[in-house]
Amino acid sequence: MPSDSTPDPADELSRLFSTGEAVARYPRVTELLAAVEPPAFTRACHQLARLDPDAVAAAHPDRPAVTVAITGHGTLSTLVPPLTGELARHGILLRPHVSDFDSYVFDLLDPDSDLYGHGADLTLCVLDPMIVFDEVPVPWRPADVQRVLDEKLRTLERIAATFATASRGMLVLNTIPLPRRFTAQLVDHRSRSELGAVWREANARLLRLATSAPNLVVIDTDPLVAEGIPVTDARMSTYAKAHLSAELLARYARETGHLARHSAGRTKKCLVLDLDGTLWGGVLGDDGVEGVELSDSPKGEAFNGVQRAVKQIGSQGVLVAVVSKNELDLVRAAFRDRDDAELREDDFVRVIANWRPKHDNLKELAQTLNLGVDSFVFVDDSALECGLVRSELPGVAVVRVDGDPALHVEKILRDGWFDTPELTADDQQRVVRYQEELVRKDFLDSFDSVQDFLRELKVTVRLAPVQDAEIPRVSQLTLRTNQFNLTTHRLQQAQVRELAAGPDTRVLTIHSGDRFGDNGLVGAVFTRRHQDALHIDNFVLSCRVFSRGIEQTALAAVLEQARTDGLRAVYATYRPSKKNGAVRDLYPRYGFTPGTEDGDTLVFRHDLRLLPDRPEHVSLHEDLQVECDD
């Protein structure tokens, strides 16, 4: 609870809306949303939905916005308020477009429809039980339901195929929940079992549809309903044709908010955990290595479950770190000597244990990993520590896991901070590569000069056109990279594939490695040939490999190839954002001169007369030859 001197977040939200300050202080509104629970959050969602998105965008031009088209079978206007609030909670402005009632087939099968005309980042096709039961005869049997489901799945397959060619955004479907009021209309349990099997098989086919369509996500509603959320409200379904309950739509909106956060490049990258009361019970300094709870008691088993969940998260490319007020040697002994510990020190990208303020340690960790602090999710059981981090580092997502450790996992996972539409091969290696990066930093500290370090690092770069299997990773780089992203254009896989296949556009991948290992696919250059000039439309590079000459090597190779191809100039685009200021001078640094300005976008020109040198310490392997037609 807030203290007497601290305004209640719900009261402050109400005041901002009632006084008309919500637009001007929109960033503060989004901060407060993270600190309120229902029903205050629900009220704020409805108030946010009444704000003019254009007015918010004008007052805060650096605020990312996501356009969401909403279509389906039933009435869906009630989805807009929770969706507005969920996106705002992640600092994202919603631009919604709601289609007419029961227009999803016409909307999505016609590439010239108004829905496609909005160019939405996310298109939500919300499926409800009445999409089936509005079309079954009376009386009906499970076989009748199966026939309708088969027809609907064929239509959805056609929709997915049409969407893949007509839109550059992401299509979101959902599994269809089965309300009891339909199963109960079958009086024999054998028929109920048959209906359940038919329904689940159809949903399984729907879920598998996403495996073959890179720009399709299917939200599984079963885990949401399993939380006790009602599927429908009988009165709203009957009288308003709103066939999914407000509670279920609110949880659906939360899942969609995670996708929007990814689309806007705001996915979190690092889970930072406290130890005492968070990953084990008791106080290590008082109880000793053998005294902290990790097994042999109900609470100990609960903490063991927390460690298992953290290990699972870390196995999928999420960086996991520790920031604890403890003695480092004692912490290392606990991870080393406790046989019942699921986590070991090498599961973490960094273990920080000292008596400094935790927000200072978080800032130092961000510098070490070359990440922004807004990439962090910080988990602690202390209200004081959580409050200090919120106050000192507002960009950090803070999760307080006070009380019962059996609830820790639910609290850590509730907001889907690390959700991504698809894991790439690079994700599986991310933790190892960051650990190798820390070894490189230690290696750097052993040299008197950076040049000596770079010479001994033996950097290699491979520059080549993107391969089909690399498209998910290239899309991910545009979505997740913020610092070295010259235009911050976020591209879905379909957009990358389109650019790679275009007659005048190319997507070049940058792979790097050195004496410590393979860094993998770390960057991409997006080029477009127009008449006798080459345009670099974007250039992205992972923060893991900054300042090693990789960017200079890639850029020099692109310029050299342009001159070899007989082009007269190369134009390059830079669009400033809150995070990419460090690369503002990238192009001038290598011989580009300022050209035109298009709004907030700067265009630079290189005449190809004096090309930048390739760094001597980098070994380049390239395949940039353009195949010419006979």
Side-chain angles (χ1 to χ4, degrees):
M1 296 293 293
S3 67
D4 294 338
S5 60
T6 304
D8 181 270
D11 291 342
E12 188 176 350
L13 268 176
S14 296
R15 185 187 63 77
L16 290 173
F17 286 116
S18 64
T19 60
E21 298 177 72
V23 170
R25 300 193 62 194
Y26 190 81
R28 178 57 179 163
V29 170
T30 64
E31 291 175 17
L32 291 169
L33 286 173
V36 297
E37 298 287 343
F41 180 78
T42 303
R43 289 196 301 271
C45 289
H46 285 274
Q47 292 168 315
L48 277 166
R50 290 193 284 270
L51 299 181
D52 180 1
D54 291 333
V56 176
H60 309 280
D62 60 343
R63 179 70 42 173
V66 171
T67 301
V68 180
I70 303 170
T71 188
H73 173 65
T75 301
L76 293 168
S77 56
T78 53
L79 178 58
V80 174
L83 193 59
T84 305
E86 290 295 344
L87 266 66
R89 208 162 54 87
H90 300 305
I92 302 168
L93 179 65
L94 171 68
R95 293 187 179 277
H97 298 280
V98 183
S99 294
D100 295 333
F101 173 81
D102 196 21
S103 62
Y104 75 100
V105 175
F106 305 100
D107 286 339
L108 291 167
L109 285 181
D110 180 7
D112 297 321
S113 70
D114 182 60
L115 180 144
Y116 284 112
H118 290 302
D121 302 292
L122 296 176
T123 297
L124 312 182
C125 178
V126 184
L127 307 175
D128 59 64
M130 299 312 297
I131 200 174
V132 177
F133 285 104
D134 274 350
E135 297 187 19
V136 297
V138 178
W140 56 269
R141 302 297 298 164
D144 298 307
V145 173
Q146 182 166 10
R147 279 192 292 272
V148 176
L149 280 167
D150 287 343
E151 178 189 340
K152 296 302 177 185
L153 282 164
R154 286 192 292 271
T155 299
L156 291 171
E157 288 168 355
R158 289 167 54 210
I159 283 172
T162 302
F163 189 90
T165 60
S167 175
R168 295 181 174 182
M170 180 180 294
L171 174 63
V172 182
L173 303 176
N174 59 277
T175 58
I176 309 170
L178 176 61
R180 183 184 179 279
R181 68 187 177 102
F182 292 110
T183 60
Q185 291 177 36
L186 296 170
V187 298
D188 67 296
H189 283 273
R190 189 178 298 275
S191 294
R192 291 181 184 180
S193 297
E194 185 180 350
L195 175 63
V198 164
W199 200 272
R200 287 167 177 80
E201 287 162 3
N203 275 332
R205 287 173 57 189
L206 188 55
L207 288 165
R208 291 192 186 98
L209 187 59
T211 63
S212 58
N215 59 343
L216 171 65
V217 169
V218 180
I219 293 176
D220 191 354
T221 60
D222 277 1
L224 310 184
V225 175
E227 295 177 353
I229 297 172
V231 173
T232 63
D233 179 317
R235 290 173 297 180
M236 291 297 292
S237 180
T238 301
Y239 302 130
K241 305 302 180 186
H243 300 308
L244 296 178
S245 71
E247 295 92 335
L248 184 53
L249 285 178
R251 284 294 282 111
Y252 172 92
R254 174 157 289 192
E255 298 297 313
T256 305
H258 304 162
L259 294 173
R261 184 177 61 215
H262 178 81
S263 180
R266 294 203 162 198
T267 302
K268 302 295 185 179
K269 299 176 182 178
C270 186
L271 177 63
V272 187
L273 300 124
D274 171 50
L275 293 177
D276 298 337
T278 300
L279 285 185
W280 53 55
V283 177
L284 182 62
D286 295 338
D287 302 322
V289 170
E290 295 302 324
V292 294
E293 290 183 282
L294 264 178
S295 61
D296 299 328
S297 71
K299 277 196 172 183
E301 292 296 334
F303 282 112
N304 191 275
V306 176
Q307 291 203 12
R308 290 173 64 87
V310 170
K311 193 178 186 77
Q312 171 67 14
I313 294 168
S315 72
Q316 299 166 86
V318 175
L319 305 178
V320 182
V322 163
V323 169
S324 172
K325 287 187 175 178
N326 258 305
E327 295 295 339
L328 182 58
D329 289 344
L330 203 57
V331 169
R332 286 177 168 161
F335 285 125
R336 182 185 65 243
D337 298 338
R338 283 294 295 258
D339 293 336
D340 52 356
E342 293 290 339
L343 292 166
R344 301 297 175 187
E345 188 172 355
D346 59 5
D347 289 312
F348 300 97
V349 70
R350 181 68 101 190
V351 173
I352 299 174
N354 56 39
W355 301 99
R356 298 172 56 202
K358 291 190 178 181
H359 54 268
D360 287 342
N361 280 326
L362 286 170
K363 285 189 285 188
E364 184 176 298
L365 178 63
Q367 293 173 350
T368 300
L369 299 177
N370 206 6
L371 294 173
V373 291
D374 57 358
S375 297
F376 289 173
V377 176
F378 174 68
V379 182
D380 202 308
D381 66 312
S382 165
L384 174 63
E385 299 291 358
C386 288
L388 285 171
V389 171
R390 280 197 187 99
S391 174
E392 298 295 325
L393 303 173
V396 175
V398 177
V399 179
R400 188 181 173 207
V401 289
D402 58 316
D404 192 340
L407 302 178
H408 284 12
V409 173
E410 180 181 337
K411 292 176 181 178
I412 293 170
L413 299 180
R414 188 182 77 161
D415 283 301
W417 296 114
F418 309 105
D419 285 8
T420 181
E422 179 181 1
L423 283 181
T424 69
D426 280 72
D427 289 326
Q428 308 289 348
Q429 299 297 318
R430 180 173 291 113
V431 174
V432 171
R433 286 172 176 160
Y434 268 90
Q435 289 171 335
E436 290 173 348
E437 184 57 30
L438 296 178
V439 175
R440 291 182 183 93
K441 290 183 182 295
D442 292 338
F443 186 61
L444 169 61
D445 292 341
S446 68
F447 287 88
D448 294 330
S449 73
V450 172
Q451 286 305 314
D452 290 341
F453 160 73
L454 291 173
R455 273 194 298 272
E456 292 301 317
L457 192 57
K458 302 187 186 306
V459 178
T460 62
V461 170
R462 179 164 60 86
L463 188 65
V466 64
Q467 301 299 307
D468 191 64
E470 298 171 330
I471 286 175
R473 170 58 176 165
V474 172
S475 170
Q476 183 187 65
L477 279 168
T478 71
L479 292 167
R480 293 171 63 104
T481 304
N482 295 304
Q483 297 178 63
F484 198 117
N485 188 333
L486 273 294
T487 64
T488 62
H489 288 155
R490 314 294 182 182
L491 301 178
Q492 300 296 335
Q493 291 184 37
Q495 295 169 278
V496 177
R497 187 169 283 106
E498 180 182 343
L499 292 172
D504 300 312
T505 54
R506 300 183 85 192
V507 180
L508 302 175
T509 60
I510 303 171
H511 292 253
S512 78
D514 56 42
R515 65 184 295 163
F516 292 103
D518 179 16
N519 288 312
L521 202 169
V522 296
V525 185
F526 299 83
T527 68
R528 170 175 47 89
R529 186 166 177 170
H530 180 65
Q531 296 178 350
D532 58 352
L534 186 74
H535 295 256
I536 301 177
D537 291 329
N538 200 11
F539 187 178
V540 297
L541 191 67
S542 169
C543 59
R544 285 189 288 117
V545 295
F546 284 3
S547 304
R548 296 179 195 164
I550 294 171
E551 62 272 28
Q552 181 181 348
T553 300
L555 192 56
V558 169
L559 294 174
E560 289 168 13
Q561 187 62 49
R563 186 161 72 176
T564 300
D565 293 339
L567 302 181
R568 66 176 179 83
V570 173
Y571 294 89
T573 303
Y574 168 74
R575 185 163 65 95
S577 71
K578 291 180 70 174
K579 293 190 175 182
N580 71 357
V583 294
R584 182 184 182 92
D585 68 338
L586 175 77
Y587 293 123
R589 200 186 312 155
Y590 298 117
F592 286 78
T593 57
T596 60
E597 292 190 23
D598 182 9
D600 63 348
T601 301
L602 306 178
V603 179
F604 298 91
R605 182 181 185 276
H606 200 294
D607 61 15
L608 298 177
R609 294 178 184 174
L610 184 62
L611 300 182
D613 295 327
R614 297 184 188 180
E616 293 181 358
H617 67 273
V618 178
S619 174
L620 174 67
H621 306 276
E622 60 181 301
D623 179 16
L624 302 182
Q625 294 297 322
V626 178
E627 295 183 3
C628 298
D629 296 332
D630 293 334

